[in-house]
Amino acid sequence: MDSRFDNVIGREETASIKWDGRMQKFGRDDVIPMWVADMDFASPECVIEALHKRVGHGVFGYTVRDDAFNEAVVGWLLRRHQWTIQPEWVSQASGVVPALNYLIQALTEPGDGIIIQPPVYHPFARLIKSHHRQLLTNPLQEQAGKYVMDYDDLEEKAAAGGKLLILCSPHNPVGRVWTREELERAGDICLRHGVTVIADEIHCDLVYAPHRHTPFASISKEFSMNSITTLAPSKTFNVAGLNTALVVTEREDLRTRYRDMIQLQTAGSINVLGAEALKAAYRGGDAWLDDLLRYLAGNIAYLKSQLQSLAPRVRVRDTEGTYLVWLDFRELGMTPVQLQEWLVQEVGLGLEAGETYGDEGAGFQRINVGCPRSVLEEAVQRLHKGVKSLGR
């Protein structure tokens, strides 16, 4: 155990969506909130020190991405993911979802098809529909309890006029870390049919051995020139509220179209404190992240072993990456509405309903284990008592 992560930090009355938003989200404020993807851990000391130093300066005017920002990004991706990029490939965003919003507008026209792989992060579908693009679903397939891509269906959707594939890698919410071979097969299909890949790799740093994240664009020159990658320090270092993300592509015309769009939308500025946090995290956060990964792996193992023992009808999907675990409640025989009501009102847990991620998620719930072990232990006990009380 690690005291830095065992420490329970009170987040009530800090304007936290996760904690102070419980009444609005669940209709009661006594559930354990384990839904939205932020952690209950303090950010690394290097980040906190950098923010103190910058705040001490006292002036917070408009800022730019300086050389130190770009160098920190380049160094991190090379050191952690063996992906060599050039500083000019990097553009900024206030978040990955805003970046996707602008990329959809910049790279497609109304009526164009955009492929997603549900059950998948729900803003993908919302953004596609809101901009009047055609939503093309390429659902993941369950094989022996593991999710895999349906390549025949992907080929069909690509051939049917798909312009973009939004690839969630690692995948949220099912926790898959796609292998190089899986990515190659999907990427080859996209190349054959002229489908540009947007690789959402925001969870790329949160991967558990023996699995390894493979940046899609790092696989080949062809893939690099047919893709754009979005990523951020927000999930890794728990700095989502500092609104700083990255858009990376080798292909100059894609960079230009994205940058033109964010200027058109007056969204080209950068958060001064977010920039400082990014530089500090990417330059000095390696050891903290290694310790975090060990702690999270322990939480995932604890959750799986305890539920197998105490509530075996709630099945835990293997989690290869992210701190988000996909729980299968289908054996309890409830409708999605009944399941959500039971979890909130009877169990006292605020999880994320699986159908949020598409119809394929019905009967599942996503739980965030980025919390102190004591909080997770209480959640497991509540779930155990709740399942036991069903008497089924």
Side-chain angles (χ1 to χ4, degrees):
M1 304 298 286
D2 190 316
S3 60
R4 290 170 299 172
F5 305 118
D6 281 334
N7 183 33
V8 177
I9 302 172
R11 298 186 64 189
E12 295 90 342
E13 300 182 8
T14 64
S16 162
I17 288 177
K18 186 177 186 179
W19 288 87
D20 295 323
R22 285 178 290 180
M23 181 61 73
Q24 182 177 357
K25 173 74 173 177
F26 300 107
R28 55 190 298 177
D29 60 8
D30 59 348
V31 298
I32 302 176
M34 308 180 82
W35 62 287
V36 71
D38 74 6
M39 297 185 289
D40 292 325
F41 306 132
S43 294
E45 192 62 32
C46 63
V47 170
I48 297 170
E49 289 176 357
L51 292 176
H52 277 304
K53 181 179 180 181
R54 187 63 184 84
V55 168
H57 181 265
V59 180
F60 311 107
Y62 296 116
T63 192
V64 297
R65 276 190 301 118
D66 58 10
D67 289 342
F69 183 105
N70 293 332
E71 289 166 4
V73 173
V74 170
W76 181 261
L77 292 176
L78 178 60
R79 194 166 67 251
R80 302 295 298 197
H81 302 294
Q82 294 74 57
W83 181 22
T84 301
I85 70 166
Q86 301 304 316
E88 60 267 24
W89 299 4
V90 179
S91 303
Q92 73 269 8
S94 60
V96 163
V97 173
L100 294 173
N101 178 52
Y102 301 130
L103 285 168
I104 286 170
Q105 295 177 77
L107 304 183
T108 63
E109 299 293 336
D112 283 348
I114 302 178
I115 305 167
I116 64 173
Q117 296 175 309
V120 73
Y121 187 50
H122 52 88
F124 293 178
R126 173 171 55 82
L127 291 172
I128 292 166
K129 293 176 182 177
S130 69
H131 290 299
H132 308 290
R133 274 56 170 176
Q134 182 184 5
L135 177 64
L136 301 176
T137 60
N138 169 228
L140 302 180
Q141 302 295 305
E142 288 186 79
Q143 293 183 2
K146 182 176 181 177
Y147 285 91
V148 297
M149 295 189 203
D150 184 339
Y151 298 105
D152 291 338
D153 183 71
L154 177 58
E155 184 105 40
E156 181 180 316
K157 299 297 167 55
K163 299 294 184 183
L164 293 177
L165 166 66
I166 303 180
L167 174 73
C168 199
S169 176
H171 194 281
N172 171 17
V174 308
R176 277 300 318 279
V177 174
W178 305 117
T179 65
R180 184 184 182 94
E181 291 72 26
E182 288 172 311
L183 294 172
E184 285 176 343
R185 191 167 176 186
D188 286 341
I189 290 171
C190 291
L191 281 174
R192 285 200 302 274
H193 295 283
V195 177
T196 303
V197 176
I198 299 177
D200 172 10
E201 300 186 2
I202 193 170
H203 293 280
C204 64
D205 301 317
L206 300 163
V207 172
Y208 309 106
H211 306 284
R212 288 189 60 85
H213 173 71
T214 302
F216 179 84
S218 73
I219 293 174
S220 69
K221 177 73 171 182
E222 291 77 14
F223 282 16
S224 182
M225 296 298 289
N226 192 49
S227 66
I228 299 177
T229 300
T230 60
L231 64 158
S234 54
K235 305 303 180 189
T236 309
F237 298 103
N238 211 30
V239 291
L242 295 179
N243 298 104
T244 303
L246 305 165
V247 176
V248 180
T249 182
E250 181 177 3
R251 190 165 142 185
E252 185 177 4
D253 67 312
L254 297 184
R255 288 199 302 272
T256 299
R257 290 163 73 177
Y258 171 74
R259 291 171 180 174
D260 287 348
M261 180 57 66
I262 62 174
Q263 291 301 320
L264 178 66
Q265 301 284 354
T266 63
S269 61
I270 190 169
N271 183 304
V272 58
L273 296 182
E276 293 302 315
L278 178 146
K279 287 185 280 190
Y282 282 171
R283 289 187 300 212
D286 295 73
W288 182 91
L289 175 56
D290 292 340
D291 292 338
L292 171 71
L293 288 170
R294 282 188 286 271
Y295 194 89
L296 292 173
N299 274 0
I300 292 168
Y302 172 83
L303 177 67
K304 187 169 186 177
S305 66
Q306 289 297 299
L307 291 187
Q308 284 176 341
S309 173
L310 301 175
R313 287 180 293 167
V314 180
R315 301 188 180 277
V316 182
R317 288 287 181 263
D318 287 339
T319 305
E320 300 170 354
T322 83
Y323 50 76
L324 308 165
V325 180
W326 196 229
L327 300 180
D328 184 352
F329 287 86
R330 289 177 295 182
E331 271 194 44
L332 298 185
M334 299 183 190
T335 68
V337 172
Q338 290 170 335
L339 176 59
Q340 186 70 6
E341 179 78 5
W342 173 74
L343 282 167
V344 171
Q345 301 301 332
E346 302 299 327
V347 179
L349 292 182
L351 311 184
E352 187 80 308
E355 63 272 16
T356 303
Y357 305 95
D359 293 341
E360 297 80 4
F364 291 82
Q365 294 272 327
R366 192 189 75 171
I367 183 172
N368 176 353
V369 299
C371 60
R373 178 67 58 81
S374 60
V375 176
L376 183 59
E377 288 172 350
E378 173 62 21
V380 167
Q381 287 304 312
R382 290 190 185 191
L383 190 53
H384 171 221
K385 291 176 182 177
V387 172
K388 188 176 180 181
S389 71
L390 293 173
R392 298 178 185 174

